[in-house]
């Protein structure tokens, strides 16, 4: 099941890039780079969540970083 999901996510990311990239001709190199980096970040996060579903999400990371800071400010 997880390999089928991985294949589906990969195909969707490839289709998304193939659809959006020709429309990005007028954008700068930095904007294209940001598009690629954010897309790859989402892809990697999706793949990690497929194989490690118990992995903590971004919300737990934000809580872990800012909870001590909030206690210091009280």
């Amino acid at each position: 099941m997880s390999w089928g999901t991985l294949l589906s996510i990969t195909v969707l990311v490839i289709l998304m890039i193939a659809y959006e990239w020709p429309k990005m001709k007028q954008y700068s190199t930095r904007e294209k780079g940001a598009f690629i980096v954010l897309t790859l970040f989402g892809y990697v996060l999706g793949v990690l969540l497929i194989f490690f579903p118990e992995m903590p999400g971004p919300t737990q990371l934000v809580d872990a970083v800012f909870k001590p800071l909030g206690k210091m400010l009280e």
Side-chain angles (χ1 to χ4, degrees):
M1 177 66 185
S2 61
W3 291 106
T5 308
L6 175 65
L7 182 64
S8 300
I9 289 176
T10 303
V11 168
L12 286 173
V13 167
I14 290 170
L15 289 174
M16 184 178 76
I17 291 172
Y19 178 75
E20 290 292 332
W21 197 257
K23 296 180 180 182
M24 297 183 75
K25 287 181 184 176
Q26 70 269 16
Y27 294 119
S28 69
T29 305
R30 291 182 64 173
E31 290 171 331
K32 291 177 184 178
F35 173 73
I36 293 295
V37 166
L38 290 173
T39 303
L40 289 177
F41 179 72
Y43 176 73
V44 168
L45 183 61
V47 169
L48 284 174
L49 286 173
I50 289 171
F51 290 108
F52 306 107
E54 69 280 349
M55 185 177 79
T59 308
Q60 285 92 2
L61 176 65
V62 170
D63 282 344
V65 170
F66 289 113
K67 190 172 276 189
L69 181 64
K71 289 184 180 190
M72 284 179 18
L73 294 175
E74 287 181 355

